[in-house]
Amino acid sequence: MQFAWLIGGPTPYREAVGLRLQAAGLEVFDNDAEPPAEPSQTIAVAYCSRDDEWKRLEVLDGYLGRVAVVDQVLPALYLRALRSGLGVVHIDTTSETIAAVAIAAGHGEAVLPMEIARQIAEGVAPTDLGAAHELDPLETDLVRSIARGETLVSIADRYFYSERTLRRRLQSAYIKLGVQDRAGAIRAAERLGLL
């Protein structure tokens, strides 16, 4: 039997990820519960937004896998996780993706967004990318649309895409712009003359 230990983070995220991991056949221990007695059969999935949360996860030894769930899409956070032997995933991805990253970590694998992997491979900081020409037409329109106050639902209806697809494309735009959220994307787009 394999286990998953979900540590920290918002309750809805833990519940959704826990259900996905249970569906994959893992027994789930949540948050403040005692960790399973068999670390070698346990995947620890910890929400890491502060340095003490990172350190707590980094010092867990002997676990089948360890995953940092981050709240910022920054290459530096992904690098920190990889250097510490951790899997890493952004909290705004689907619970299905977070569970898949956890299971991959249990197999000794890392799953990264393509843009983060490219930046890490090239050793390039996102602010050095010349972000305006890196955005594809859909990403540019997404940033312009959120600057106008449109919701992802209305944008999804216009493009006939799912909200999930648009969230991923918006995350890609954030990475390319070197920002963490919508407000940062709007400021960067203004600075780059995209609005």
Side-chain angles (χ1 to χ4, degrees):
M1 175 64 125
Q2 289 187 339
F3 307 96
W5 184 26
L6 302 177
I7 308 165
T11 301
Y13 133 79
R14 286 194 325 273
E15 289 172 352
V17 172
L19 289 173
R20 293 285 185 175
L21 291 168
Q22 285 175 343
L26 282 77
E27 185 174 338
V28 177
F29 291 78
D30 192 13
N31 220 13
D32 294 326
E34 283 293 316
E38 295 291 330
S40 65
Q41 295 300 311
T42 303
I43 302 166
V45 181
Y47 180 74
C48 296
S49 64
R50 298 185 326 257
D51 195 52
D52 62 317
E53 293 165 335
W54 276 95
K55 289 179 181 173
R56 179 181 182 186
L57 183 60
E58 289 169 333
V59 299
L60 292 177
D61 287 327
Y63 278 73
L64 178 63
R66 298 170 298 154
V67 176
V69 179
V70 297
D71 61 355
Q72 299 174 29
V73 183
L74 297 173
L77 294 178
Y78 284 77
L79 278 172
R80 179 177 183 172
L82 294 172
R83 287 182 180 134
S84 299
L86 309 175
V88 61
V89 63
H90 191 267
I91 193 164
D92 283 342
T93 60
T94 65
S95 59
E96 180 181 20
T97 300
I98 294 171
V101 169
I103 291 166
H107 293 289
E109 301 169 355
V111 180
L112 299 173
M114 186 59 71
E115 185 61 27
I116 291 284
R118 186 181 69 78
Q119 290 177 33
I120 290 171
E122 292 177 358
V124 177
T127 54
D128 298 334
L129 289 174
H133 75 274
E134 291 283 334
L135 294 179
D136 66 30
L138 176 59
E139 292 166 344
T140 302
D141 191 53
L142 279 172
V143 172
R144 287 178 178 152
S145 297
I146 63 169
R148 289 190 300 265
E150 290 184 53
T151 66
L152 282 181
V153 172
S154 66
I155 300 167
D157 287 344
R158 185 171 69 234
Y159 279 105
F160 303 104
Y161 283 125
S162 70
E163 287 180 64
R164 179 178 170 188
T165 297
L166 291 182
R167 283 187 197 286
R168 276 190 256 140
R169 296 301 296 273
L170 199 52
Q171 281 186 349
S172 176
Y174 294 169
I175 293 166
K176 290 176 182 179
L177 292 170
V179 300
Q180 302 170 19
D181 54 26
R182 289 177 184 218
I186 293 167
R187 285 191 302 273
E190 287 173 344
R191 193 173 58 248
L192 295 166
L194 297 176
L195 301 181

